[in-house]
Structures are given as C-alpha cells and as structure tokens.
Amino acid sequence: MESLAWLGGRLRILDQTRLPREEVTLDLNTVGAVAEAIRSLRVRGAPAIGVAAAYGVVLAALDAETQEVRAFLARLDAAIAELAATRPTAVNLFWALERMRRAAHGRAEAGADVAALRAALVQEAQAIQAEDEECCRRIGRYGAALLADGARVLTHCNAGALATAGIGTALAPIRVAVGQGKRVVVYADETRPLLQGARLTAWELARDGIPVTVLADSMAGTLMARRMVDCVIVGADRIAANGDVANKIGTYPLAILAREHGLPFYVAAPTSTIDLSLPSGEHIPIEERDPAEVTHLAGVPVAPEGIGVFNPAFDVTPHRYITAIITERGVVRAPYAAGLRRLCGPGE
Ligand code: MRU
C-alpha cells in the first residue's frame, strides 16, 4: 500500500477522503492539483504532505516553459508559495519546500541551466521521499524496543503508512514489533471530526492483519480506567524546541488521561517534524478548518444550521506529559530542550 508514488511527470496518490469505502488513486499533474489534494486531505499526515509538496514543486518545474533561469526560479517560488499556503501546522511541509527552494536556487547560483535545475528538483523530491521511508523504518526499530510482547497500544488519528512515504511513524513501532514476533493489539481512537482513526488507521492495520479495535474518542478514559491499554503512541505535526507537540486535535486530553493512569505517552516523529525556531508550543500555528467538518457527518447535518463552531485541527501537548519522543536518530526524553538540540545539531 503506497500513499503516493512518483510516476515521472505525475504524482499518483491514494485519495484518503474516499477510504475505507473505496480505494481510488488520483494522478496529479499540476501544482494546483497537488495544493488542492493537500488542502482537502486527499493526501495528509505531516511527512506525506511534505513529500507531496516536493513533487508539487517538481510539477511546476516541468510545466514552466521558459528556458530563462531567472523566470524559471520566479515560477518555482510562486509554486512554493502556493503550496505553503495549503496547511499551516505540519512543519514538514515548509521543511520540504525549503529543501526544494534551496536545491534550485543553490544550483542556479552555481550556473546550472533550466534542464539541469529540473533534473536536480526531481532528484531532491525523490531523496525526500526515500529519506522519509528510511526514517519510518528507523523510528519503527527504536520504538519496537519500547513494546513488550502482548503490548496493547492506543493511538490517535492516523500516523501510519498513509501519512508517510513508508511504514508510518506512530504505527511503525507496532509494525516492527509484530515483525519481530511480538503480539501487539491496537486501539484506534476514531478521531473526530474527520475520523482518520476509524477510516484510515483501522483500514491500514486490518489490511496488515494487525488486531485493531476502534473506539469513539470519548471512550479512551474508560479504556485506561479498565486497564485495557499499556501505552499511547501518537504522531506529530510540529515539535517545538522545548518538546511541546502539536498533533491532531484530541491528542492533548489523551496525554492527560495517560498521566492520570500512569501510562507511558510516546510521540513518534522524524526530525523533519522538529522546529527548533519555535521556543514552545504556544507559537505553533494551529489550523482552523471548515465548520462543516463539525456540523456534518459524511455530508449529513448533525447540528442546527448556522450554529457557532469551534474547529481547530490540532492541539498542543505540553512536553511534561510526554514520556519520550521516538525519532529516526533515537529516543529523546526530558529534558527535551537539550535532547532535541543535540538530535538536530550540526554533524547529525
Ligand atoms: O489533519 P491530518 O489528518 O493531516 O493530521 C494528521 C496528524 O495529526 C498526524 O498524527 C501527524 O500528521 C503525524 S503523521 C505521521
């Protein structure tokens, strides 16, 4: 199962808005189509958004008819701005776009022509994709060491293969542990309002034969109180320098519940999700989405017409509730400021 694939000249994605009822792929061949797909969550999850955006820049590069380097770079910068305006919270988007911008501008300064710039951009996007696959594998190996045979894991939203170019972030330790012969069962929060847990996490784990049970978000406290779960693992959209974590709305209350019940609360994310430029979580921009996501379920109204709606797509979990952050470079524990700096420092 691939969330996205570069077919040379077009980006094929699995349309996640149609899952689990239909497995429909879409071939995107313009930067506008990629921007729309990111905005409407056809492709979603922080690392997958970054990879898709990188290919969006490639599509703009292939589309640009000019042979003049300055005009070509101006087209690229416009495409990067269009993609950057799609979703504000997942920092992987901006990280990937910056890599693409640097790949083009750096080589242009060194005298590359438009054909060489196009080739360099394809190469950079493919490198971002391949690195993400490897990050997932490594997160899986580090995280699996934290899971005992028989572990019962609660997760939120979808931080699996669908959300990355590889085996996922939060779901990677589970997949690797199962591959090692451990028995692991997963509880998947449905994740209102858009049900990424019920629709996507349940779908991809069931496909892999990993036992998964779906629960409504409001049932997590009872799951813990009845001692039916051993730990929580979630993904992240952005991790501030002090270890505060922005992730799908509903993550923060889970962390508090985990603390109350004495359960480890793990965050799994590649270092491309770490944003050392922000001192703490209160600086992370939080996306507010369409009120209809709350007032409607699968297009059917479930609230009075015209009612006020609160719909932040993400929340921030303060670092004090986080037991460890699992990255491709190792597992970081408090004090996070020093640990994250070391992880992302020069020479790493
Ligand atoms: O709005 P979404 O579905 O893109 O939100 C996704 C999440 O919150 C994930 O947990 C996060 O991006 C990590 S994905 C590996």
Side-chain angles (χ1 to χ4, degrees):
M1 174 195 51
E2 274 184 333
S3 59
L4 41 74
W6 177 244
L7 302 181
R10 63 211 153 96
L11 176 65
R12 176 163 292 174
I13 62 159
L14 188 56
D15 184 347
Q16 297 188 33
T17 62
R18 310 279 284 270
L19 290 172
R21 288 173 51 182
E22 295 171 307
E23 293 177 30
V24 177
T25 58
L26 293 176
D27 286 354
L28 312 175
N29 55 12
T30 64
V31 61
V34 174
E36 189 281 331
I38 294 173
R39 197 176 290 112
S40 60
L41 312 191
R42 296 185 200 287
V43 56
R44 47 144 300 282
I49 291 171
V51 176
Y55 283 116
V57 176
V58 170
L59 289 170
L62 298 180
D63 247 10
E65 275 163 15
T66 180
Q67 291 305 318
E68 211 269 305
V69 168
R70 271 183 47 177
F72 178 80
L73 291 178
R75 288 287 299 277
L76 280 193
D77 289 346
I80 288 171
E82 180 176 352
L83 290 160
T86 52
R87 300 195 70 192
T89 304
V91 77
N92 307 60
L93 170 65
F94 308 99
W95 169 87
L97 290 174
E98 178 55 19
R99 270 184 66 162
M100 296 301 283
R101 197 192 64 77
R102 266 201 231 148
H105 283 258
R107 282 179 184 75
E109 275 161 32
D113 63 10
V114 166
L117 292 179
R118 283 201 184 101
L121 286 164
V122 173
Q123 216 175 42
E124 189 70 7
Q126 288 176 325
I128 290 172
Q129 179 179 3
E131 286 168 30
D132 186 54
E133 267 184 69
E134 178 59 18
C135 283
C136 292
R137 277 193 288 271
R138 295 176 66 97
I139 288 170
R141 285 199 289 270
Y142 282 118
L146 302 168
L147 298 179
D149 183 28
R152 301 160 304 170
V153 181
L154 173 62
T155 190
H156 189 69
C157 192
N158 172 264
L162 290 167
T164 65
I167 59 171
T169 58
L171 299 191
I174 294 161
R175 287 200 160 95
V176 171
V178 168
Q180 292 168 343
K182 293 178 188 167
R183 289 157 302 171
V184 182
V185 301
V186 180
Y187 287 96
D189 263 357
E190 67 171 350
T191 316
R192 271 287 281 153
L194 294 178
L195 307 177
Q196 288 93 330
R199 293 189 305 107
L200 308 177
T201 296
W203 179 79
E204 68 165 85
L205 289 177
R207 259 176 78 114
D208 277 3
I210 297 174
V212 55
T213 300
V214 173
L215 58 149
D217 300 349
S218 50
M219 298 166 187
T222 295
L223 190 80
M224 292 183 190
R226 290 193 189 171
R227 302 186 189 287
M228 293 169 70
V229 62
D230 301 304
C231 70
V232 180
I233 312 182
V234 296
D237 284 83
R238 197 184 293 226
I239 301 173
N242 69 344
D244 292 351
V245 168
N247 190 50
K248 178 54 57 192
I249 193 77
T251 300
Y252 169 47
L254 271 192
I256 294 175
L257 279 173
R259 167 63 53 87
E260 176 63 24
H261 291 89
L263 298 174
F265 184 89
Y266 299 118
V267 173
T271 49
S272 54
T273 304
I274 299 169
D275 183 355
L276 292 183
S277 77
L278 301 183
S280 67
E282 66 193 3
H283 300 274
I284 298 175
I286 299 295
E287 178 181 10
E288 296 267 346
R289 291 186 62 89
D290 187 344
E293 292 178 354
V294 173
T295 56
H296 290 63
L297 266 180
V300 178
V302 291
E305 210 183 314
I307 205 78
V309 167
F310 179 55
N311 188 21
F314 303 95
D315 58 25
V316 174
T317 299
H319 60 89
R320 65 180 177 280
Y321 293 112
I322 298 168
T323 309
I325 299 177
I326 307 161
T327 78
E328 81 279 14
R329 293 182 189 167
V331 176
V332 186
R333 294 174 191 266
Y336 288 106
L340 294 175
R341 242 192 346 263
R342 217 172 25 247
L343 209 65
C344 303
E348 287 288 345

